[in-house]
Amino acid sequence: MSKKRVTKLDPRKQLSNYLDHRDRTQAPKTEKVSKQLSGLKAIRKRSFRRILLPLMLLFIILLIALGYYVSPLSFVSKVSFTGANDIVSDSLVKALNIKSTSKIPDLILHEGKQSKEINKKYPEIDRVKYHFDGLSGIKVQIFEAKTLAYVRESDGYQKVLANGKMGKFILDKSMINSKYAVLLGKSNEEKTNTILKLYNKLPESFRNDVKIIDTREKRASKLIFVMKNGNLVIANTNNFLKQVKYYDAIASQTAKKSVIDMEVGAFTRALTSAEKQKYDIR
């Protein structure tokens, strides 16, 4: 029996091709994974910085704010006003209860609440808004309620507001706005309220020409308007809202400083000396 030939194989030689192939295929994968891990680390660092920087900035701002609040700089050292030229500053300071012990941040944070309180006490002030004026000063912006007219009192003038309320501040004659009429006579509150409601419904063009509203006539329905051009308009509270539309046409055909009687119908006449003197018409 013949012997089979046995060929001796070197395992290392036989496996070398496989091992070389494996190394060539696995090396790029290892390198790729390594690059991905490096990229993720960089992204995490950037994300961390994006989160950390705003938080640090916020912390610094809060620290500065807290330092300011507890420092003497946060107390009011000066006050200025805008938007209320007809009200004395001292009166506003008292009305708003601003003191040297008041803290500016507290005033700013609670301006909504204070606006409601000041409007309830002083209806002519609709609302207030506070602004920093330097580190220890405050500027108060006053938003006034719409004015309809003024009422002459023994010690000055009071505002009549478009919402029907009466102002609380007493104003000097030099502080009233000539744009608005002055109401004379306030003894009968019911009559005054009726006249003011009527006056508020009249055309704005007519109201802008009225200088004085005289409610002192004995007859409750009788009303006199002294116009800025010197005319006197006698009206009836019961029908003047309908009659007023004829005023411009009548006034254009009448000499200035005349009486236009629209209480019953419509006719005109010259002013008497007594009427000129009574209403200071020159």
Side-chain angles (χ1 to χ4, degrees):
M1 185 173 181
S2 61
K3 293 181 180 180
K4 290 183 180 179
R5 290 183 66 184
V6 178
T7 305
K8 290 184 178 181
L9 298 175
D10 186 351
R12 288 177 296 181
K13 186 178 180 180
Q14 293 296 321
L15 292 172
S16 63
N17 292 335
Y18 168 74
L19 293 173
D20 289 343
H21 174 72
R22 187 192 65 179
D23 292 341
R24 284 197 300 272
T25 55
Q26 286 188 353
K29 290 182 180 179
T30 305
E31 186 179 350
K32 188 176 180 181
V33 171
S34 178
K35 285 182 179 179
Q36 288 177 345
L37 288 173
S38 299
L40 285 171
K41 287 179 181 179
I43 291 170
R44 285 177 182 174
K45 282 182 180 179
R46 286 197 295 270
S47 299
F48 181 71
R49 288 196 194 100
R50 280 199 294 266
I51 296 170
L52 183 62
L53 287 175
L55 287 174
M56 287 179 66
L57 185 61
L58 179 62
F59 177 75
I60 292 169
I61 291 171
L62 289 174
L63 196 63
I64 292 171
L66 181 62
Y68 170 74
Y69 185 80
V70 299
S71 75
L73 289 173
S74 65
F75 292 103
V76 176
S77 64
K78 65 174 180 176
V79 185
S80 59
F81 294 93
T82 59
N85 298 327
D86 54 355
I87 304 175
V88 180
S89 297
D90 290 345
S91 300
L92 287 171
V93 170
K94 290 179 182 177
L96 294 168
N97 197 29
I98 299 175
K99 303 174 182 177
S100 59
T101 54
S102 301
K103 283 185 175 287
I104 296 173
D106 290 339
L107 292 172
I108 292 174
L109 288 171
H110 299 99
E111 66 181 22
K113 181 182 177 182
Q114 192 162 34
S115 288
K116 291 179 181 178
E117 291 175 354
I118 196 70
N119 176 256
K120 190 175 181 180
K121 193 173 181 180
Y122 299 95
E124 58 263 63
I125 299 177
D126 186 49
R127 62 188 176 92
V128 296
K129 190 168 183 62
Y130 295 108
H131 304 275
F132 279 101
D133 188 11
L135 288 174
S136 57
I138 193 163
K139 183 179 288 185
V140 187
Q141 188 176 3
I142 304 291
F143 294 88
E144 296 183 84
K146 188 178 178 182
T147 302
L148 180 65
Y150 295 98
V151 172
R152 190 169 74 182
E153 302 285 359
S154 58
D155 54 348
Y157 295 81
Q158 244 179 314
K159 280 185 178 181
V160 181
L161 307 176
N163 58 16
K165 295 180 181 180
M166 297 292 296
K168 299 297 182 182
F169 290 104
I170 300 298
L171 307 174
D172 187 73
K173 186 177 182 180
S174 62
M175 301 177 76
I176 66 173
N177 190 335
S178 59
K179 175 184 175 182
Y180 303 109
V182 175
L183 189 143
L184 304 179
K186 192 191 164 189
S187 56
N188 188 324
E189 189 174 347
E190 185 179 350
K191 181 181 179 180
T192 300
N193 290 337
T194 300
I195 289 170
L196 288 174
K197 286 179 182 178
L198 167 68
Y199 185 68
N200 198 20
K201 292 178 182 178
L202 294 175
E204 189 175 357
S205 58
F206 180 84
R207 294 203 311 264
N208 289 341
D209 286 339
V210 177
K211 183 180 178 182
I212 295 171
I213 308 168
D214 192 350
T215 67
R216 296 173 297 184
E217 297 295 318
K218 290 182 180 179
R219 192 162 64 254
S221 61
K222 188 176 181 179
L223 180 63
I224 295 176
F225 296 104
V226 181
M227 311 304 284
K228 291 174 183 175
N229 63 2
N231 286 340
L232 240 68
V233 179
I234 301 175
N236 188 317
T237 57
N238 297 322
N239 63 11
F240 190 64
L241 202 57
K242 295 179 180 178
Q243 295 282 82
V244 69
K245 61 185 177 182
Y246 303 113
Y247 170 74
D248 287 337
I250 297 170
S252 64
Q253 300 174 16
T254 305
K256 289 182 179 180
K257 299 180 182 179
S258 300
V259 174
I260 301 175
D261 193 333
M262 302 178 73
E263 190 176 12
V264 180
F267 67 91
T268 63
R269 62 174 175 82
L271 280 165
T272 64
S273 298
E275 287 169 332
K276 289 180 180 180
Q277 185 177 2
K278 182 179 181 180
Y279 298 111
D280 193 25
I281 298 173
R282 300 174 187 176

